Amino acid sequence: MPEAVETMDGWYCLHDLRTINWTAWKQATDSERQAAISEFQDLVEKWEGVEEARNGSHSVYSILGHKADLFLMILRPTMKELAEIELEFNKSKLAEFTAPTYSYVSVVELSKYMAKEGENPEESPSVKARLKPRLPKWEHMCFYPMDKRREGNDNWYMLPMDDRRKLMYEHGLTGRKYAGKVRQIITGSMGFDDWEWSVTLFAHDVLDLKKLVYEMRFDEVSARYAEFGAFYVGNVLLKDNIPSFLHV
Ligand code: 76R
């Protein structure tokens, strides 16, 4: 039986995607809209305080296409805190004008494929920081869930550890070419959600997202073993730009 790789798990993660009901939003009164906007900005400000105190992180993006308008990615030390945030948003005025279209529950995950013998990567300050990351507020973001294939001869979970390590090493080499251009947050979701991982990529230049994902398709680990869910792409939505985004 192939050996499971050990994972290192960090902050819990909620991806929350909503569409905005623009018709209802336009029909609201100015004061209702103003109240909804201020309340949402206050919520984001509260999250900023938590981020400053290093007790979590968040990212807010506006999504292109019909799949969603608003993207919230929230990291917190416990799932209880994530649930509280979800509830708080759902009870807010703005939420009355939104409908959930997708959500994803997971935990920031690093694996020990690359760990050196006799070393515990969990002790490393850089690993600790990556398990509790400050999410980038870079211009662009893309998010998608994925699985590793389990079909006939292409069964990731039947591969010996050394083969998987080699493939992951090659994967890392491709990824590292994009150092400084793309930041990736991998979260694990086995037992939590419908796919096995979520991939969230941040970039200054949106084309780097396409180039990285395209190049990885040719890595054996993606070409043979990766299956993907829906892709979402968006532009950063900073607190100060919320009023103009929602202005009608
Ligand atoms: O943690 C590390 O940086 C070591 C190398 C590494 C691991 C272990 C790494 C590097 N990844 C790892 C694990 Mn990744 N990653 C993806 C996708 O679209 C696709 O084809 C796949 C989606 C992208 C774009 C990406 C980017 N990675 C994983 C895992 C868990 C697998 C398991 O445990 O079986 C998945 C599902 C996954 C998927 N990866 C990198 C990147 C990038 C950009 C890097 C380089 C990071 C850097 O060194 O700065």
Side-chain angles (χ1 to χ4, degrees):
M1 191 176 67
E3 183 192 346
V5 67
E6 231 184 287
T7 62
M8 297 177 278
D9 302 277
W11 276 340
Y12 292 89
C13 178
L14 175 69
H15 290 82
D16 188 328
L17 291 95
R18 314 255 169 165
T19 48
I20 295 170
N21 182 342
W22 292 107
T23 310
W25 182 245
K26 278 188 194 160
Q27 281 163 359
T29 63
D30 267 348
S31 69
E32 269 182 306
R33 278 195 296 262
Q34 199 41 57
I37 290 170
S38 311
E39 189 188 19
F40 184 50
Q41 283 182 302
D42 289 349
L43 208 54
V44 175
E45 195 167 308
K46 193 157 93 180
W47 298 342
E48 284 171 354
V50 174
E51 189 169 73
E52 279 313 307
R54 295 275 183 269
N55 288 325
S57 188
H58 65 277
S59 261
V60 182
Y61 282 75
S62 61
I63 298 290
L64 284 94
H66 74 286
K67 283 181 271 183
D69 293 307
L70 194 61
F71 167 97
L72 308 174
M73 179 176 180
I74 314 276
L75 301 180
R76 286 293 180 273
T78 64
M79 240 193 228
K80 186 168 174 281
E81 288 157 286
L82 287 182
E84 284 163 4
I85 290 172
E86 188 182 0
L87 201 58
E88 194 172 4
F89 182 77
N90 279 334
K91 289 177 183 173
S92 75
K93 185 81 190 156
L94 183 63
E96 290 175 26
F97 302 95
T98 73
T101 52
Y102 197 64
S103 66
Y104 209 77
V105 179
S106 55
V107 60
V108 176
E109 180 189 295
L110 296 174
S111 64
K112 291 191 179 171
Y113 280 122
M114 300 308 147
K116 299 195 181 74
E117 199 116 339
E119 239 178 49
N120 182 4
E122 260 157 300
E123 312 274 296
S124 138
S126 71
V127 166
K128 282 185 188 166
R130 287 181 59 196
L131 289 171
K132 299 176 178 184
R134 190 188 186 103
L135 295 175
K137 278 63 179 169
W138 293 4
E139 198 61 31
H140 306 284
M141 175 283 313
C142 97
F143 155 68
Y144 51 98
M146 69 172 283
D147 283 343
K148 290 276 173 77
R149 189 166 295 140
R150 260 180 278 133
E151 248 174 49
N153 287 330
D154 294 339
N155 188 333
W156 176 254
Y157 297 92
M158 294 296 281
L159 287 183
M161 171 73 113
D162 281 346
D163 295 8
R164 280 178 283 132
R165 183 180 290 117
K166 181 177 160 285
L167 293 172
M168 289 312 295
Y169 172 74
E170 289 166 4
H171 164 84
L173 290 185
T174 302
R176 273 207 286 283
K177 289 195 211 162
Y178 291 81
K181 291 189 194 167
V182 177
R183 277 268 329 261
Q184 104 280 22
I185 307 282
I186 303 297
T187 65
S189 40
M190 292 188 202
F192 293 166
D193 218 317
D194 300 343
W195 296 78
E196 294 169 348
W197 290 276
S198 93
V199 181
T200 313
L201 307 173
F202 298 90
H204 303 292
D205 181 345
V206 72
L207 207 48
D208 283 328
L209 298 174
K210 176 176 178 287
K211 285 183 187 296
L212 168 62
V213 173
Y214 189 67
E215 193 171 344
M216 279 196 174
R217 291 289 158 103
F218 293 90
D219 286 339
E220 193 176 341
V221 66
S222 293
R224 286 188 71 179
Y225 300 105
E227 294 192 354
F228 301 101
F231 281 67
Y232 296 85
V233 65
N235 300 330
V236 73
L237 182 57
L238 299 173
K239 190 181 67 196
D240 292 346
N241 297 332
I242 291 170
S244 65
F245 173 68
L246 288 170
H247 180 76
V248 287

